[in-house]
Amino acid sequence: MANDTPRLVHSTMTSLEILEFVRNEEAPRLTDVAEGLGIGHSTAHNHLATLEEHEWLVREDGAYRLGLKFLEFGRHTRRTVPQFVAVRRLTNELSAQTSFEVEFLVEEYGRIVSIFDVIPSNAVYGNVDDEWQGVGISYNMTNTASGKTILADLPPERVEAILEKWGFSQATPYSVTDRETLFDQLETARERGYAKAHQEVHEGFENIAVVVNWPDGSVFGAISIGWPSYIFDGGIDQEVIDQLLEAKTKLEAEIAGEASS
């Protein structure tokens, strides 16, 4: 019987590792790439030259940076997210309504990725001049409200697979790092209809999130509202929770309406 398991192409993996290395380092040079990845200088040079030729990398004074071609691909990828227009409108409306940061995130490969991140320009957040903000950033699912509300809605075997692959990320002293605490929080999220995260990704920042489902009940994504910790001394106002839950209902109704039309 034939083995249908695909064979990974190691040269492609090396190129991808180089791209990640260049992204994480500040203007690395050929020697930095070779030593950082433990590959020969000639191998590094060939991969770098190929990536430069195809405009994925830019070389300036012997140092490399990512090419703006990635921006084109990122914009395209973002717009292929289902219900793009509806989600964009709703996140902007909810941010204007609450005067807080609102994000819409989806799960991919066991992490959550920000698709929209709307931050109001006010006294709380200051003047915001970057409409992308956190767009494209991926997070561990165990220490974000969005990740938890999605985990709470996924089948147990999928949750186990995600934990097996990514484990726990201790971004701050408040991050959840054990299964018992996480599963207790997931059960609480199911009972009250939303998840919370207390300074688990960034100290001094909190958020709540609700899962958004497709008409068949499967997970589409999550809507999150975030705020600086000092805003609510006695916990989040019920009005904000109600506004978040209402946004979920509106988006799911719009999705269901389009699916049935």
Side-chain angles (χ1 to χ4, degrees), residues 23 59 69 121 128 133 135-136 186 208 210 219 251:
R23 180 196 63 182
R59 183 176 56 168
K69 190 173 187 177
S121 293
V128 179
Q133 291 298 322
V135 171
L186 297 186
I208 58 174
V210 292
V219 172
L251 181 55

Side-chain angles (χ1 to χ4, degrees), residues 24-194:
N24 294 330
E25 300 296 319
E26 184 176 350
R29 308 177 81 83
L30 169 61
T31 300
D32 299 322
V33 173
E35 294 180 353
L37 296 179
I39 57 179
H41 281 64
S42 61
T43 299
H45 178 268
N46 291 338
H47 281 277
L48 289 167
T50 302
L51 292 167
E52 182 184 1
E53 174 66 23
H54 289 272
E55 302 177 1
W56 294 108
L57 289 180
V58 175
R59 183 176 56 168
E60 297 173 333
D61 297 326
Y64 292 89
R65 65 169 174 81
L66 298 183
L68 293 177
K69 190 173 187 177
F70 281 99
L71 184 59
E72 176 187 351
F73 273 67
R75 289 176 62 87
H76 171 79
T77 302
R78 185 174 181 238
R79 293 195 69 89
T80 61
V81 172
Q83 302 294 327
F84 177 89
V85 174
V87 173
R88 178 177 60 186
R89 183 183 68 253
L90 182 138
T91 52
N92 278 280
E93 289 176 354
L94 186 58
S95 180
Q97 184 181 19
T98 61
S99 296
F100 292 137
E101 178 180 2
V102 174
E103 274 191 282
F104 185 83
L105 307 96
V106 298
E107 181 265 329
E108 186 174 76
Y109 293 115
R111 291 175 66 83
I112 52 169
V113 183
S114 177
I115 305 301
F116 290 97
D117 185 12
V118 183
I119 302 180
S121 293
N122 55 33
V124 173
Y125 297 96
N127 294 320
V128 179
D129 58 5
D130 181 3
E131 65 177 20
W132 282 66
Q133 291 298 322
V135 171
I137 297 177
S138 65
Y139 303 93
N140 190 293
M141 297 185 71
T142 61
N143 57 7
T144 60
S146 297
K148 291 175 185 177
T149 195
I150 290 176
L151 286 173
D153 209 61
L154 290 176
E157 59 273 17
R158 177 63 179 146
V159 175
E160 291 295 338
I162 290 173
L163 293 179
E164 177 68 23
K165 181 175 183 178
W166 295 106
F168 294 86
S169 172
Q170 187 166 8
T172 76
Y174 301 94
S175 301
V176 174
T177 58
D178 66 274
R179 296 170 66 89
E180 182 178 357
T181 301
L182 175 65
F183 287 137
D184 285 345
Q185 292 183 354
L186 297 186
E187 183 59 33
T188 300
R190 296 186 191 99
E191 293 172 354
R192 66 187 173 199
Y194 65 92

